[in-house]
mmCIF file of all heavy atoms in Angstrom:
data_model
loop_
_atom_site.group_PDB
_atom_site.id
_atom_site.type_symbol
_atom_site.label_atom_id
_atom_site.label_comp_id
_atom_site.label_asym_id
_atom_site.label_seq_id
_atom_site.Cartn_x
_atom_site.Cartn_y
_atom_site.Cartn_z
ATOM 1 N N TRP A 33 98.315 52.621 -4.263
ATOM 2 C CA TRP A 33 99.508 53.083 -4.857
ATOM 3 C C TRP A 33 99.321 53.735 -6.226
ATOM 4 O O TRP A 33 98.209 53.422 -6.803
ATOM 5 C CB TRP A 33 100.486 51.924 -4.921
ATOM 6 C CG TRP A 33 100.124 50.853 -5.902
ATOM 7 C CD1 TRP A 33 100.701 50.576 -7.056
ATOM 8 C CD2 TRP A 33 99.076 49.847 -5.838
ATOM 9 N NE1 TRP A 33 100.093 49.519 -7.775
ATOM 10 C CE2 TRP A 33 99.099 49.068 -6.987
ATOM 11 C CE3 TRP A 33 98.099 49.621 -4.846
ATOM 12 C CZ2 TRP A 33 98.220 48.059 -7.133
ATOM 13 C CZ3 TRP A 33 97.221 48.540 -5.027
ATOM 14 C CH2 TRP A 33 97.263 47.839 -6.179
ATOM 15 N N PRO A 34 100.112 54.625 -6.615
ATOM 16 C CA PRO A 34 99.839 55.330 -7.897
ATOM 17 C C PRO A 34 99.564 54.439 -9.076
ATOM 18 O O PRO A 34 100.360 53.430 -9.194
ATOM 19 C CB PRO A 34 101.179 56.162 -8.128
ATOM 20 C CG PRO A 34 101.758 56.236 -6.705
ATOM 21 C CD PRO A 34 101.434 54.951 -6.057
ATOM 22 N N GLY A 35 98.619 54.718 -9.833
ATOM 23 C CA GLY A 35 98.442 54.013 -11.127
ATOM 24 C C GLY A 35 97.465 52.760 -10.941
ATOM 25 O O GLY A 35 97.018 52.261 -12.027
ATOM 26 N N SER A 36 97.210 52.375 -9.811
ATOM 27 C CA SER A 36 96.400 51.142 -9.646
ATOM 28 C C SER A 36 95.418 51.204 -8.546
ATOM 29 O O SER A 36 95.576 51.996 -7.598
ATOM 30 C CB SER A 36 97.340 49.973 -9.419
ATOM 31 O OG SER A 36 96.939 48.813 -10.108
ATOM 32 N N GLN A 37 94.361 50.452 -8.600
ATOM 33 C CA GLN A 37 93.310 50.413 -7.559
ATOM 34 C C GLN A 37 93.178 48.891 -7.135
ATOM 35 O O GLN A 37 93.194 47.975 -7.919
ATOM 36 C CB GLN A 37 92.054 50.997 -7.960
ATOM 37 C CG GLN A 37 92.009 52.461 -7.959
ATOM 38 C CD GLN A 37 90.791 53.053 -8.535
ATOM 39 O OE1 GLN A 37 90.474 52.749 -9.717
ATOM 40 N NE2 GLN A 37 90.061 53.942 -7.885
ATOM 41 N N LEU A 38 92.964 48.750 -5.763
ATOM 42 C CA LEU A 38 92.655 47.452 -5.293
ATOM 43 C C LEU A 38 91.144 47.352 -5.359
ATOM 44 O O LEU A 38 90.419 48.227 -5.096
ATOM 45 C CB LEU A 38 93.074 47.376 -3.883
ATOM 46 C CG LEU A 38 92.936 46.014 -3.150
ATOM 47 C CD1 LEU A 38 93.894 45.042 -3.666
ATOM 48 C CD2 LEU A 38 93.152 46.201 -1.620
ATOM 49 N N VAL A 39 90.694 46.149 -5.809
ATOM 50 C CA VAL A 39 89.293 45.928 -6.005
ATOM 51 C C VAL A 39 88.931 44.734 -4.993
ATOM 52 O O VAL A 39 89.576 43.672 -5.127
ATOM 53 C CB VAL A 39 88.938 45.468 -7.443
ATOM 54 C CG1 VAL A 39 87.396 45.491 -7.673
ATOM 55 C CG2 VAL A 39 89.584 46.418 -8.367
ATOM 56 N N VAL A 40 87.995 44.917 -4.167
ATOM 57 C CA VAL A 40 87.630 43.880 -3.147
ATOM 58 C C VAL A 40 86.173 43.668 -3.048
ATOM 59 O O VAL A 40 85.332 44.630 -3.197
ATOM 60 C CB VAL A 40 88.191 44.338 -1.782
ATOM 61 C CG1 VAL A 40 89.721 44.341 -1.686
ATOM 62 C CG2 VAL A 40 87.679 45.677 -1.310
ATOM 63 N N SER A 41 85.776 42.467 -2.761
ATOM 64 C CA SER A 41 84.402 42.143 -2.659
ATOM 65 C C SER A 41 84.292 40.882 -1.748
ATOM 66 O O SER A 41 85.193 40.091 -1.694
ATOM 67 C CB SER A 41 83.758 41.714 -4.012
ATOM 68 O OG SER A 41 82.433 41.367 -3.937
ATOM 69 N N THR A 42 83.118 40.826 -0.997
ATOM 70 C CA THR A 42 82.869 39.674 -0.143
ATOM 71 C C THR A 42 81.496 39.150 -0.325
ATOM 72 O O THR A 42 80.549 39.851 -0.618
ATOM 73 C CB THR A 42 83.127 40.051 1.381
ATOM 74 O OG1 THR A 42 83.114 38.916 2.170
ATOM 75 C CG2 THR A 42 82.013 40.980 1.772
ATOM 76 N N ASP A 43 81.306 37.835 -0.241
ATOM 77 C CA ASP A 43 80.014 37.209 -0.499
ATOM 78 C C ASP A 43 79.885 35.987 0.538
ATOM 79 O O ASP A 43 80.789 35.255 0.693
ATOM 80 C CB ASP A 43 80.150 36.487 -1.908
ATOM 81 C CG ASP A 43 79.118 37.171 -2.893
ATOM 82 O OD1 ASP A 43 78.041 37.531 -2.439
ATOM 83 O OD2 ASP A 43 79.425 37.300 -4.002
ATOM 84 N N MET A 44 78.710 35.917 1.036
ATOM 85 C CA MET A 44 78.458 34.799 1.986
ATOM 86 C C MET A 44 77.394 33.920 1.492
ATOM 87 O O MET A 44 76.317 34.315 0.960
ATOM 88 C CB MET A 44 78.003 35.396 3.349
ATOM 89 C CG MET A 44 77.859 34.312 4.380
ATOM 90 S SD MET A 44 77.309 35.017 6.040
ATOM 91 C CE MET A 44 78.882 35.393 6.746
ATOM 92 N N LEU A 45 77.701 32.581 1.384
ATOM 93 C CA LEU A 45 76.768 31.610 0.878
ATOM 94 C C LEU A 45 76.395 30.684 2.075
ATOM 95 O O LEU A 45 77.210 30.116 2.751
ATOM 96 C CB LEU A 45 77.462 30.717 -0.141
ATOM 97 C CG LEU A 45 78.145 31.460 -1.369
ATOM 98 C CD1 LEU A 45 78.718 30.456 -2.323
ATOM 99 C CD2 LEU A 45 77.006 32.237 -2.086
ATOM 100 N N VAL A 46 75.046 30.523 2.219
ATOM 101 C CA VAL A 46 74.550 29.766 3.337
ATOM 102 C C VAL A 46 73.788 28.526 2.792
ATOM 103 O O VAL A 46 72.982 28.658 1.899
ATOM 104 C CB VAL A 46 73.518 30.642 4.109
ATOM 105 C CG1 VAL A 46 72.894 29.844 5.332
ATOM 106 C CG2 VAL A 46 74.229 31.890 4.664
#
Side-chain angles (χ1 to χ4, degrees):
Chain A
W33 67 108
S36 218
Q37 282 169 304
L38 185 70
V39 191
V40 292
S41 178
T42 191
D43 246 323
M44 186 178 273
L45 304 181
V46 180

